[in-house]
Amino acid sequence: MIEKIILTPFQKFVKIESFSGILLFGAMVIAMIWANSPFSESYQALWQFNIGIRTETFEFTKPLILWINDGLMAIFFFLIGLEIKRELLIGELNSLRKATLPLFAAIGGMVFPLCLFLLLNNSPETSSGWGIPMATDIAFTLAILKILGNRVPLSLKIFLTAFAIVDDLGAVLIIAIFYSTGIDWWLILYAMLPLAFLFYLSYRGIYHKYLSFFIGVVVWFLFLGSGIHPTIAGVLMAFTIPIRQKIDMESFTENLQDIAYRFTQTKRDGLPILSKEQYEHMDELEDLTEKFNSPLQRLEHGLHGWVAYFIMPIFAISNAGVIFSGDMALDMPLVINIAVALFIGKGIGITLMSFLSVKLKIAALPEGINFMQIIGVAILAGVGFTMSIFVANLAFTDNSVFVDSSKVGILVGSVVSGIIGYIIIKSSGNPKKVPIQKS
């Protein structure tokens, strides 16, 4: 029973992320074809189209691409924040024993690509791209594992998800600390005041979704003008959402049985609508469900589909369209550097740190996993599409050549990592044999 409660939500998470990876790949292909088709001008014009509010005394407009990268991606980061908080409190990172291996793997997966990038980089102009190869795209990697079917044990997917979430936390900190410029600390202070209020309410177990939404919009606007990327506001807002339920399982069950009993005692008049008494019982049931639901879990569940099936594909379509032409300007050293840092840096970093943590008996391999599968997942982690492109846009805001070069390097490194990682994992374990039942 306990295993079902824990594993079923995770399996649903994997299913959503796996299909999201397929959508991401499709969106990337569409973007590349569109950007290099006879309609390439429409591709460029669409994302540069200004949208916003304009009056005689006030104007707030931004190109569509920035509404996506600064606005929709704030929701993406909000979901990441919810996942990080959940994992830290009740998930795979809530104890030192469970968190050690994913933590070491994530550190290796961030530090080694960074060091390799700086080692290979020969131009001061491109040195700010060191954060690009540090990210792992969990949607793409889980999609590849999904293709492998029952060759991949669930414990390997849990390990990948756990270290990818630590990786995301590292990426968030890097964006906040190193890719924010011209910071207006007064605006940050103003943003912290409503956030502190929400943290206090969360500490008291109080949550109002409309109040949180309104404050979230205010905080986002303040971060937008502060110099710190507004997506960080999404992560901070996520940490204000309480995870605790207002009532426990026993109280919920007793009240549910009471409502169900009283509902069965109501008169049925044959009409296709509820009676006043029945409607009151339905209101009681809705209120009871609201109290029993964890606000964090409910938000995470509600947003996951929107982020996986809408926001991430839109981000991919709007950002992956590199125009290839005869006079295309690419910084080839940067392309090679990013591709190598993703493929080799991730592979060596995650594998080595995982190996050391196990050999030093600081951590233990999850049941059903061998080191060859760890190597495969480590290489697979070089698929860094979504977050890597996001960091590339921040690293080279004023240089389209470096941005395009980064995207090409990310695509090359991700494709090579995906193929090699797939091959290694496929050859590292045998598919589970399903016993044939005799009729």
Side-chain angles (χ1 to χ4, degrees):
M1 180 66 180
I2 295 175
E3 288 182 357
K4 185 176 180 182
I5 292 172
I6 295 173
L7 293 181
T8 300
F10 178 79
Q11 289 167 331
K12 290 180 180 178
F13 170 84
V14 169
K15 185 176 180 181
I16 290 176
E17 290 291 341
S18 300
F19 186 64
S20 174
I22 297 171
L23 282 181
L24 270 178
F25 179 76
M28 178 189 72
V29 171
I30 290 172
M32 299 292 286
I33 293 174
W34 188 1
N36 291 277
S37 72
F39 305 100
S40 61
E41 289 186 7
S42 67
Y43 177 85
Q44 299 293 331
L46 174 62
W47 309 120
Q48 296 303 319
F49 183 76
N50 279 317
I51 298 176
I53 302 172
R54 182 181 290 133
T55 66
E56 293 182 359
T57 57
F58 176 78
E59 180 176 347
F60 182 75
T61 60
K62 293 167 73 73
L64 180 56
I65 185 72
L66 291 185
W67 280 111
I68 293 169
N69 292 353
D70 294 350
L72 286 182
M73 289 301 283
I75 301 174
F76 169 77
F77 274 80
F78 178 72
L79 179 62
I80 285 178
L82 293 175
E83 292 171 353
I84 291 171
K85 182 173 182 177
R86 171 176 51 78
E87 290 296 323
L88 288 173
L89 293 179
I90 60 172
E92 291 300 309
L93 305 174
N94 74 325
S95 69
L96 186 61
R97 182 182 63 84
K98 291 195 290 185
T100 301
L101 185 62
L103 181 61
F104 270 77
I107 291 172
M110 289 186 286
V111 173
F112 277 75
L114 183 158
C115 294
L116 188 55
F117 179 93
L118 293 176
L119 182 66
L120 297 176
N121 183 68
N122 295 319
S123 172
E125 292 181 312
T126 57
S127 60
S128 60
W130 56 267
I132 297 171
M134 295 175 65
T136 294
D137 195 307
I138 189 171
F140 264 129
T141 50
L142 284 177
I144 294 171
L145 291 183
K146 181 73 173 179
I147 296 171
L148 288 162
N150 58 9
R151 290 179 181 272
V152 180
L154 184 60
S155 53
L156 188 65
K157 295 176 184 177
I158 293 174
F159 168 69
L160 168 63
T161 303
F163 86 68
I165 287 175
V166 177
D167 188 288
D168 284 340
L169 178 59
V172 168
L173 293 174
I174 287 167
I175 290 169
I177 298 170
F178 299 103
Y179 288 107
S180 299
T181 56
I183 298 175
D184 187 329
W185 291 106
W186 280 109
L187 287 179
I188 295 297
L189 177 62
Y190 296 149
M192 289 301 158
L193 296 177
L195 277 171
F197 175 66
L198 286 181
F199 273 113
Y200 172 74
L201 293 182
S202 178
Y203 172 74
R204 296 292 302 272
I206 301 171
Y207 170 70
H208 297 285
K209 58 184 177 182
Y210 297 114
L211 176 64
S212 292
F213 175 78
F214 174 75
I215 290 179
V217 172
V218 171
V219 170
W220 181 83
F221 269 104
L222 290 171
F223 268 80
L224 185 66
S226 71
I228 293 182
H229 201 273
T231 52
I232 302 302
V235 178
L236 294 176
M237 282 298 301
F239 276 83
T240 69
I241 306 299
I243 197 171
R244 290 175 295 176
Q245 303 156 302
K246 291 183 179 179
I247 58 174
D248 58 21
M249 173 70 84
E250 184 177 352
S251 299
F252 174 75
T253 305
E254 290 176 359
N255 281 277
L256 184 61
Q257 290 173 340
D258 179 57
I259 293 172
Y261 174 76
R262 286 187 285 119
F263 197 91
T264 59
Q265 301 305 306
T266 58
K267 294 181 180 179
R268 302 177 183 178
D269 51 18
L271 295 175
I273 59 174
L274 300 176
S275 66
K276 181 180 178 181
E277 190 178 4
Q278 289 173 332
Y279 211 92
E280 288 174 354
H281 293 330
M282 292 297 292
D283 284 340
E284 286 183 69
L285 180 61
E286 187 176 338
D287 182 57
L288 180 66
T289 305
E290 185 78 24
K291 290 179 180 178
F292 186 62
N293 249 325
S294 160
L296 185 145
Q297 185 181 28
R298 187 168 188 171
L299 270 174
E300 187 179 354
H301 177 77
L303 286 175
H304 217 126
W306 282 101
V307 170
Y309 302 147
F310 177 70
I311 292 177
M312 291 175 68
I314 287 292
F315 174 82
I317 290 177
S318 60
N319 285 273
V322 180
I323 299 176
F324 296 95
S325 60
D327 57 348
M328 180 185 185
L330 283 180
D331 188 304
M332 289 310 298
L334 179 60
V335 172
I336 296 170
N337 191 351
I338 291 175
V340 170
L342 278 171
F343 175 58
I344 297 179
K346 284 282 186 182
I348 293 177
I350 293 172
T351 301
L352 182 60
M353 292 298 286
S354 298
F355 179 80
L356 287 176
S357 66
V358 172
K359 286 301 177 182
L360 294 174
K361 296 184 178 180
I362 300 172
L365 278 180
E367 186 178 350
I369 295 179
N370 56 55
F371 260 113
M372 188 57 68
Q373 290 171 322
I374 294 289
I375 294 172
V377 165
I379 293 174
L380 205 60
V383 179
F385 185 75
T386 306
M387 194 71 82
S388 293
I389 289 180
F390 188 82
V391 174
N393 288 328
L394 298 179
F396 305 119
T397 52
D398 300 322
N399 195 312
S400 60
V401 173
F402 290 163
V403 171
D404 286 345
S405 301
S406 299
K407 291 177 181 178
V408 173
I410 292 165
L411 292 174
V412 172
S414 296
V415 169
V416 173
S417 297
I419 293 173
I420 302 300
Y422 172 88
I423 293 172
I424 292 175
I425 294 175
K426 185 177 181 180
S427 61
S428 64
N430 296 318
K432 298 174 184 176
K433 294 182 179 180
V434 181
I436 300 174
Q437 295 182 349
K438 295 182 180 180
S439 56

